Structure formats: structure tokens, C-alpha cells
Amino acid sequence: LSKIQDYFSSIAETQDYSCTIRNPGKEEVFNMDVAYSEQAAVLLKGTFLTESRRSKDGNALTKFKIPKGRLGVTRIGDLSTQDMKKIPTLALIELTALCDVLGFELKRNKAAKLKATEKRLFGVPLNTLLENDQKLLPNTKVPLLLQALLSCLEKRGLETEGILRVSGSQTRIKSLEQKLERDFYTGLFHWDEVHQNDVSGLLKRFIRELPAPLLTAEYLPAFAAVQNIPDLKQRLQALNLLILILPEPNRNTLKALLEFLSKVVARENSNKMNLWNVSTVMAPNLFMHKGLPNKIPEGKEKQLAEGAADVVRLMIHYQDLLWTVSSFLVTQVRKLNESNSKRYQFYDKRIKNLLRKIHADKDKVEKNQAEPSKIVKVHASLLLKDSLEVHLNNATRVADVLRQFQKNLCQNGWNIVNTVNLRKCNNSMECTNLLLYEVGGNIGERCLDPDTYLLDLYHINPHAEWIIKQNPSYPRMF
């Protein structure tokens, strides 16, 4: 264990590490419409693209573009909790299929048994931390301590040379940990008095001392094994599925951490911390855990250290892609919801035959696109008493509906119920803080991409309601 820790430290400043890239600087399509395992099967019939391993520059990494289909792109936060609970099982099935096609063994540990602790912050399970934090702030999704550490570093540490790499004083860090345990929730802890390198030490200590790894004890071996997949796109596909499998607290915490690390990399000119430096510094905190056995074969320290850093590098650089829910998984969620709803129907034989005929006719109509237009109602009950009638055609997108909503709001004198969530600009109401949601039918709830074509969505889910709501991440205007 000490050997690999030493190697992580030594390679953080190495200048000749070779990270896997292909077609540097070019943009490739990242297809999320077709199951990854099916794509891999097709690729294996040909040959893998030759990949160069001679650059650690993040700017030279292959750029991937997710093509927006007619139904738009779905991010993890776009789906309801009800629908997201179905995703991990579906993602695990797909990951298993992908590994089978590639000939890789999907290794999993048994879930770790967490010991009780008298501490309130460090060494405390994520779920326990969040339960305590939610007593203060009900909708907390990322531990308040981690938020405070990241906020402090963003305000005063991003410009510090060697931030994350240069260690703070271990004596001061231990003392700060004790003070935080005592004063954090009282609001008496003064962050302005803490040295930035000590804060980065506290950040790494917080992640390292979680009772279970942030990537979970169960799937940590799978994350580590991603480095062995020869094709970059397939490595990202595997990482995408693994992130979807993570429990929600772990996934939200990892996202907050990766977003911060990308900000560190963006200030490389000031802090001298490029993507490779940040990855090698953070990798041991994510991939090494005192509660798990570390059986490292003799002479494999370098390979394992570089591989772990490579996986962290991919998670930082491609995080926007990795936090996307593939459309083929969303389709599977719709099918599951349809199957569940059918279980509660009354299946008299004559009614069953009639329903079969109705569905057959409906499918025929949809396939032939015999309905080139449709008038639907869009609701905004939290804002207005009125609903918006929208005429859909093949070119109508979500962005068009929101613009129409804004136009009617401004020109037609609608009866506004609540103006708190709207803001005024040049004496007119703006709807930049509003989103359109698909609710019900074969989906629990889904926030719609502005480029979603609504007639196509109607054909996929004709029984859904469309509701305009406030963007939860947008600041309220009082």
C-alpha cells in the first residue's frame, strides 16, 4: 500500500505520462440511442481504432458530441426520483452485457458493513451526513461540510500554485478537523482564517475517511477495471453506466467534487495544476480505502497508479457526457412503466381483444405519421389560471412553446397567480427561469430538453401532461 501511495505522489509532477487518446482534437459522435453492448458487438466485427498514448494534454483529448434526437437529451437530474430508481438496475444489466461482449469480468465486492461513529462530520457515512444536514436544509443533496470546503477553495484557492498537490500542515489539519467537529453546525467556524492548502488537505481527508469509498465498495473494482478497456469510447460508456449505478448520495457528491476539480484545471495558468496533476493527486483518495483489502501484485504499482489516475482524468474531462442518461435507457423506463400500469387493468377477454385492436390501430397511425399536427394544452398551474393551447407540427420544439408562453404572458394579459418565479426585464416578463416537463403516461416526470420536438414526444407518450415549472436551480426573484 505504501509503495503505490509513494508512486501516486511521484507521478503527480511527471511530464511524460502517456494517456490514451484517439483522433486528438477531432470530434466524434457518442451514440446514446443504441445500447452500448450492441454498439460494441458491431465494433468487434471490425477492428478497434488505433489509439495514441503520447499526450497528457486535456486539450488533445478526443471531443465527443451527443447527437440530439427528436426527443432531446436527458440529464440525470431531468428524471423524477421514481424513474431514476429504475435506472441503476437497467444500467447494471447493460454494463454486464457490455463486459460480456468485450470479454471483461465485471468484478464486484460485497457491500461494506459500516461501523457506528461518534463523530458528526469526518468518517461518517454519506447517508448519515445527509440525514443530519437535511434537518437544517431539507433539500440538501451534497453534504454541507463538503459544500463549505469546496466553496472556500473556489473563493480563495483556485489561484494558489500547487493547490491540492502541496500538502498543508498535518498538525493544523488535525486541529481544524477537531474544530469543525465541534463548531461547524454552530456557525462559529471561521473559514477566512484557514490556509488554502489546509482546506485542500481537509477535502482529501473528508473523502479518504468516508467509512465506505465514494465510488462504493461494491463497484470500486469495476471503476478501476475501466482502464483495461482498449477503446476510449467504450471506456466512457462503461463509466457512464457505473455512474448511473451509484447510489444517489454518492453520485451527487461525486458530481460536486468533479465540478470543482474541473474549475481547478481551468485555472491551470495560475495554479500550475493541469488535468494530469489533479487526476494523480485525487486518484488515491477515490481508489484506495483503508476498509478494503489492497492486494497489489509486486511490480504492478506503477500500472495501477497510472490506471486509476487515467480513470479520474476521464471523469473530470468528460463529466458532462457521463451525467447523461442514454435515450435507450429512458426508452426502457417507459416500457417498464407501461408494463406496470397494465398489471392493474381489468382483463375481461372481450375488453382485452378490444384494447389490443385499439393499440394496434394507434401504433399503425403513429408509424405512418398520419397525424401531422395536434393541438394540445400546456399547463402552468403554479403561475397562471389559464392553460396554453399549442398547435404542434413536425417543427415545434420545447423552446418554441416557452417563447409562445412568454408572448401570451406579456401581450394577452393572462391572470397571473404567482409572479415570484418570473423576473422583469425592460418592463416585460422573461421565462428564462422556466422549464417544460413531461408528466405522467409512461414516464413519472421528465424535464424536457429545449430542442425536443413535441409532436414526436406526443406520439411516444400521448397520455402525458405538459407542465411549465420554475427551474429549481434558478435563483428566485423577490
Side-chain angles (χ1 to χ4, degrees), residues 321-334:
L321 181 154
L322 297 177
W323 258 260
T324 302
V325 183
S326 299
S327 52
F328 70 85
L329 290 176
V330 176
T331 299
Q332 292 176 21
V333 170
R334 293 184 188 277

Side-chain angles (χ1 to χ4, degrees), residues 69-84:
R70 302 280 294 183
L71 299 181
V73 172
T74 304
R75 307 292 177 185
I76 285 177
D78 291 344
L79 289 175
S80 67
T81 301
Q82 171 190 350
D83 288 331
M84 273 305 299

Side-chain angles (χ1 to χ4, degrees), residues 283-306:
N285 300 287
L286 291 169
F287 281 90
M288 297 170 61
H289 195 272
K290 57 187 178 183
L292 297 177
N294 288 278
K295 298 178 181 178
I296 301 171
E298 188 69 28
K300 293 288 186 179
E301 295 90 355
K302 176 181 177 182
Q303 178 184 345
L304 292 173
E306 288 184 348

